[in-house]
Amino acid sequence: MEALRIGPLRVWPPVVLAPMAGITNAAFRTLCREQGGGLYVSEMITTRGLVERNRKTLAMIRFEPGESPRSVQLYGVDPEVVGRAARMIADEDLADHIDLNFGCPVPKVTRRGGGSALPYKRNLLRAILRAAVAGAGRLPVTMKMRKGIDDDHLTYLDAGRIAVGEGVAAVALHGRTAVQHYGGVADWTAIARLKEAVPEIPVLGNGDIWSAADAVRMMDATGCDGVVVGRGCLGRPWLFRDLAAALTGEGALRPARPPLGEVAAVMARHAALLVECFGSEPHAIADFRKHIGWYLKGFTVGAETRRALATTETLEGLRAHLAELDPDQPWPAGAEGPRGKSSPRERVHLPDGWLDDPYDGVVPQGAELETSGG
């Protein structure tokens, strides 16, 4: 198996941490990076927030010392603003790699014509990619997308060909449509079709990778050049250790199944990293609460202890409650499988008349988001 080549970057193993709003901050990236190599991407940064030097956005684009390569995901709908943001990243040495978000399915993004809605407008997509590649200069630009808006409006093959034509270094495909959100089963055959359609550049597969065995199966079935891991690592940062072992051939496909004591130690480490990242203990501990259920999925933990973990406001208090857990409780069968959002949507929220002309290159009014993070 070869290393993943993204422009001048060599990524080994060929594993990418998917950008996830409120998740893939510097603390979580550090936690995952400690488990194994790969490319670890920031939370979504809005191009408007970046070029306007919004304080929150600038704080979110920070990387830890030694974090390399530095990878940032941008969201934008206006080619001019996207180009300015890419140029700012390159000129000010803010990152080593730029990924563009054309996969986000949340209503506040798609109703503005952004995220997974945007590739339907082929000429607008082309203009954005052209501006980003020109602005980025020597930095490689990649894009992450979905199959399309729904099964009647599939765009991924056209989008892939446009990406090749505009000098994009790699494309990642989540094998779901926007209307599926995170429900149902990811369509890995679409990843194979995209790989056949754009052999000139690496194709990364995303969707339903819950274990290293899933990653190997996806690469074998689709011929993709690497995998993008999102919800599969929620509460399971050691998945990157499993992936490194499996994809380098150094270990059998036996997933890590740590006892509860080891899980608790990782939880404490995660919370401590968040405190360092945010510089505010109350903020960090509050942010950590959403991770607790993912870490403890399947384990037998009493309601009172769960409530105490979810309401503590200090790192010392969190550690004290984690110490109450049974350290010898083995990994439970119920710990496997999906985590995070999963339900499909009834419809995709789009700007008025969005589906009328797939080649319209006009930027929707009010399309740019100011706040980063999705």
Side-chain angles (χ1 to χ4, degrees), residues 28 41 52 139 152 197 208 220 229 251 265 293-294 321 357:
F28 189 72
V41 189
E52 293 181 355
L139 303 183
D152 294 324
D208 293 348
D220 288 344
V229 178
W294 297 327
H321 293 306
D357 182 1

Side-chain angles (χ1 to χ4, degrees), residues 175 186-193 206-209 214-215 217-218 221-222:
D187 177 13
W188 290 3
T189 62
I191 299 168
R193 286 194 291 270
N206 177 223
D208 293 348
I209 296 178
D214 292 334
R217 284 195 304 107
M218 175 186 279
T222 68

Side-chain angles (χ1 to χ4, degrees), residues 26 29-30 33 62-68 70 276-277:
R29 295 196 306 271
T30 296
R33 190 184 295 275
R62 66 178 285 273
F63 293 91
E64 294 295 334
E67 189 172 349
S68 178
R70 299 164 300 165
E276 294 177 15
C277 177

Side-chain angles (χ1 to χ4, degrees), residues 122-321:
R122 275 72 165 176
N123 288 335
L124 180 57
L125 175 67
R126 180 177 285 106
I128 290 173
L129 296 179
R130 183 171 298 176
V133 171
R138 62 180 177 79
L139 303 183
V141 175
T142 61
M143 61 182 280
K144 185 171 184 286
M145 60 182 174
R146 286 180 174 241
K147 291 170 57 181
I149 291 173
D150 53 36
D151 287 340
D152 294 324
H153 301 89
L154 299 178
T155 55
Y156 68 100
L157 294 178
D158 282 353
R161 295 186 188 104
I162 291 170
V164 170
E166 297 304 328
V168 169
V171 293
L173 178 63
H174 184 155
R176 287 181 170 88
T177 59
V179 76
Q180 282 183 275
H181 206 62
Y182 296 97
V185 177
D187 177 13
W188 290 3
T189 62
I191 299 168
R193 286 194 291 270
L194 180 62
K195 178 60 185 174
E196 293 173 356
V198 291
E200 303 92 336
I201 60 175
V203 171
L204 309 178
N206 177 223
D208 293 348
I209 296 178
W210 306 107
S211 68
D214 292 334
V216 172
R217 284 195 304 107
M218 175 186 279
M219 295 185 73
D220 288 344
T222 68
C224 67
D225 302 282
V227 297
V228 179
V229 178
R231 294 176 298 150
C233 67
L234 296 178
R236 306 288 185 270
W238 49 83
L239 175 58
F240 292 97
R241 185 174 67 221
D242 292 347
L243 288 163
L247 296 178
T248 59
E250 296 177 357
L253 297 180
R254 293 192 298 270
R257 291 192 170 95
L260 186 52
E262 292 182 19
V263 173
V266 174
M267 294 173 72
R269 170 68 174 156
H270 190 172
L273 286 169
L274 285 170
V275 173
E276 294 177 15
C277 177
F278 294 149
S280 165
E281 188 167 330
H283 180 191
I285 299 306
D287 185 81
F288 179 72
R289 289 171 186 161
K290 61 175 169 278
H291 296 272
I292 294 173
W294 297 327
Y295 277 113
L296 298 181
K297 180 182 178 181
F299 284 101
T300 301
V301 179
E304 185 175 335
T305 301
R306 286 182 181 270
R307 185 165 49 251
L309 287 167
T311 56
T312 187
E313 298 179 352
T314 66
L315 185 57
E316 181 181 0
L318 180 70
R319 287 170 172 159
H321 293 306

Side-chain angles (χ1 to χ4, degrees), residues 75 103-118 178 347-351 354:
Y75 161 90
C104 182
V106 302
K108 80 170 185 177
V109 167
T110 59
R111 68 165 49 102
R112 295 169 180 259
S116 54
L118 197 142
R347 66 186 181 93
V348 180
H349 296 265
L350 300 168
W354 188 251

Side-chain angles (χ1 to χ4, degrees), residues 314-335:
T314 66
L315 185 57
E316 181 181 0
L318 180 70
R319 287 170 172 159
H321 293 306
L322 289 173
E324 298 172 2
L325 301 175
D326 175 9
D328 298 321
Q329 185 179 151
W331 183 262

